Amino acid sequence: MAVRLDLPDIQGLFARGYSKHPHARFTVFTAPRPASGGALLDWLIPQVTAAAPFSGDVALQVAFTASGLRWLGLPDRVVAGFPAEFIQGMTNTNRSRFLGDVGESDPCRWSWGGPGQPPVDGIVMLYATDQGVLTGRQQELRARLADNGISAVTELPALERRDSEPFGFHDGISQPVIAGLPKAVGARQAVAAGEFVLGYPNARGQLPDSPLLPASADPLRLLLPDPAGSGAVDFGRNGSYLVVRQLEQDVDGFWRFLDAATRRADGSEDPTARTALAAKMVGRWPSGAPLVKAPGQDAPALSDDNDFTYRDDLPGLACPVGAHIRRANPRDSLPSGSATSLTTSGLHRLLRRARSYGPAADGPSGTGLYFMCLTADLSRQFEFVQHTWLNNATFNGLYDDADPLTGNRCSAGAAFTVQARPVRRRYPGLPRFVRARGGAYFFLPGLSALRYLAQLNKGAQK
Ligand code: HEM
């Protein structure tokens, strides 16, 4: 059955990555107690960009952590309706271990969001067509936060959007096509909207869990009804979970390792072999061409190609079994068999919205990605992919190989295997190329829920 998405109530990040808005800055903030968020929300809400068609030169999104929702006055019993992983947060000790945030990625070493640092309550994300416009809006935001006694934990300036991530590979190619969005018309494999936004059926045909309130808690009738028809109102409807992780990339270390691993017998560097091995780690060539379709050399004509499975490459001879994209979305290549594997992979899709960053006078000193993704289920989607596929040293029949790009190499997983005939080639001793430097789980509410939050603070619900 066709799903009608309430696009004017859903924040725009669900429908687009703002590729036409190449300049972006993300302000992570901590709020004073007692609450003073209503005034801030009154100012922010008219600027929030919805998922309905949009052509403005600046877009703004706002999201909150569990502590931010409490600060805004959402009663504990409603916050308790969110899943444990959201309430506990990304840096809860058990979650950190599960996510592989140990050793050099331990939250104790983070530059924001870690223990002992100011609590993260929310994030305001600005996207603009032009750097000047972005700077102006950022100044207004800074002044407005200060007027409300709210401090920025950090401002995260993104690099002007390019097609490539810092290791030099075309990124942002493979995205789920979401049923109900215009792009899904005629698409072969649209993913249910309820995988990424609450209030709609998910891939299993069920409504995602959502924090409900009795209708009496919403006398101004700002919230939308529970789509399951319980008579309650649904705070979560049209909202999504937003994962934000600042992932620092050791770009020199990555290419140094590849140079050393592909050096010729006479000790000279072999740039062709080095790029080929890097492509094997990613599963795509720098242009983006997928290895399953272009196994021997880069094929820029295929740079945006996402129409492939691993059916004809189950042994991994074209695209290694442990390549980043084959772990992050194994498509039909899990040992359960093609059809089951496609269904399983469909339960763990992520709507990625990353931006890269580089050394900036007023920002982080390193280089990397602000990895961001939207999900309707943090645990089944983001945490599962990170733990069970990317960081898993025994993924799909391997035995000491974590993700060659993102693996943390803590107790295992420092090898990369390239399947080949007559014998596979193993590259042991992979260093860590990616370190977590900050992060948090946010909830990106629908516009109705934002309006509800705005008036909570003003005593209307007391
Ligand atoms: C700094 C860290 C990372 C880098 C440099 C990186 C790089 C890439 C690149 C180059 C691609 C191929 C382009 C594309 O298919 O869109 C890709 C795809 C992907 N990545 Fe990452 N990535 C990073 C972290 C992560 C993390 C932490 C996750 C999830 C927890 C993730 C999930 C994915 C997914 C789901 C795909 C698409 C796979 C597919 O559908 O074929 N990535 N990444």
Side-chain angles (χ1 to χ4, degrees):
M1 197 177 67
V3 175
R4 274 182 68 91
L5 294 170
D6 186 358
L7 298 180
D9 201 60
I10 301 174
Q11 293 201 45
L13 202 57
F14 166 76
R16 60 184 86 90
Y18 293 109
S19 57
K20 295 190 180 119
H21 296 73
H23 303 274
R25 198 168 183 107
F26 312 115
T27 304
V28 178
F29 65 82
T30 189
R33 272 72 181 158
S36 60
L40 177 71
L41 276 178
D42 281 345
W43 180 75
L44 284 173
I45 290 169
Q47 305 177 59
V48 172
T49 313
F54 153 80
S55 59
D57 57 358
V58 188
L60 183 148
Q61 317 282 238
V62 59
F64 300 98
T65 60
S67 74
L69 292 174
R70 282 195 203 96
W71 161 67
L72 285 165
L74 197 66
D76 278 344
R77 63 174 190 287
V78 183
V79 178
F82 280 97
E85 55 276 16
F86 175 70
I87 299 171
Q88 292 173 351
M90 191 184 278
T91 57
N92 166 278
T93 315
N94 291 332
R95 306 224 87 78
S96 292
R97 222 175 290 139
F98 191 77
L99 294 172
D101 288 342
V102 292
E104 288 174 64
S105 286
D106 190 316
C108 293
R109 298 170 173 229
W110 287 8
S111 45
W112 61 274
Q117 288 170 329
V120 172
D121 288 319
I123 184 167
V124 179
M125 312 164 84
L126 278 172
Y127 298 86
T129 49
D130 177 84
Q131 183 60 44
V133 175
L134 180 71
T135 307
R137 290 296 280 272
Q138 183 68 31
Q139 277 164 358
E140 279 176 45
L141 173 65
R142 236 177 256 150
R144 193 55 75 127
L145 291 175
D147 287 351
N148 286 284
I150 296 167
S151 354
V153 168
T154 182
E155 280 187 22
L156 302 172
L159 288 175
E160 181 172 350
R161 189 181 179 282
R162 293 175 294 212
D163 279 344
S164 299
E165 51 71 40
F167 290 143
F169 286 79
H170 187 183
D171 198 6
I173 307 164
S174 175
Q175 293 284 20
V177 177
I178 301 172
L181 286 180
K183 277 188 197 156
V185 176
R188 262 189 295 148
Q189 280 186 340
V191 182
E195 290 294 306
F196 307 105
V197 63
L198 307 190
Y200 304 88
N202 62 21
R204 295 187 171 120
Q206 298 160 344
L207 287 168
D209 283 345
S210 190
L212 303 176
L213 288 83
S216 58
D218 180 26
L220 302 179
R221 295 174 177 265
L222 295 169
L223 292 174
L224 298 164
D226 171 13
S230 66
V233 287
D234 187 353
F235 178 81
R237 189 158 168 184
N238 293 328
S240 302
Y241 297 99
L242 167 68
V243 177
V244 178
R245 280 166 77 73
Q246 183 180 335
L247 299 179
E248 188 173 290
Q249 295 173 240
D250 180 1
V251 177
D252 289 346
F254 179 70
W255 290 106
R256 239 190 347 262
F257 172 82
L258 289 160
D259 271 334
T262 54
R263 218 168 271 279
R264 297 189 186 96
D266 66 3
S268 62
E269 286 177 5
D270 184 342
T272 307
R274 152 184 122 137
T275 305
L277 181 56
K280 295 262 184 202
M281 289 180 169
V282 174
R284 289 183 183 267
W285 291 95
S287 75
L291 262 69
V292 276
K293 286 198 165 174
Q297 60 185 31
D298 203 344
L302 299 175
S303 66
D304 287 314
D305 195 310
N306 197 33
D307 186 17
F308 62 89
T309 66
Y310 298 105
R311 187 181 48 220
D312 298 328
D313 186 36
L314 288 180
L317 299 174
C319 177
V321 170
H324 176 67
I325 66 161
R326 198 164 165 163
R327 291 168 173 272
N329 179 10
R331 304 185 188 215
D332 59 345
S333 68
L334 292 171
S336 52
S338 173
T340 315
S341 174
L342 275 174
T343 310
T344 307
S345 298
L347 294 174
H348 306 286
R349 299 301 305 276
L350 305 173
L351 190 54
R352 292 175 300 137
R353 296 295 186 230
R355 290 277 167 133
S356 6
Y357 68 89
D362 58 346
S365 53
T367 300
L369 279 190
Y370 300 128
F371 173 85
M372 299 187 186
C373 67
L374 296 182
T375 77
D377 188 330
L378 286 167
S379 149
R380 169 162 66 80
Q381 294 167 287
F382 167 68
E383 292 193 341
F384 179 94
V385 172
Q386 171 84 7
H387 170 268
T388 310
W389 287 346
L390 297 189
N391 270 336
N392 180 0
T394 58
F395 172 79
N396 212 354
L398 300 168
Y399 65 91
D400 187 26
D401 300 29
D403 187 287
L405 291 188
T406 67
N408 68 14
R409 332 264 182 248
C410 267
S411 51
F416 177 55
T417 307
V418 176
Q419 289 77 27
R421 291 208 171 110
V423 283
R424 65 178 184 209
R425 175 88 199 259
R426 287 195 89 225
Y427 296 87
L430 258 65
R432 180 198 289 258
F433 302 124
V434 170
R435 291 167 186 76
R437 306 288 298 130
Y441 289 150
F442 298 90
F443 185 68
L444 187 81
L447 272 289
S448 306
L450 285 176
R451 285 185 207 105
Y452 180 77
L453 286 171
Q455 54 77 45
L456 274 181
N457 249 236
K458 297 174 196 150
Q461 295 297 305
K462 303 271 151 78

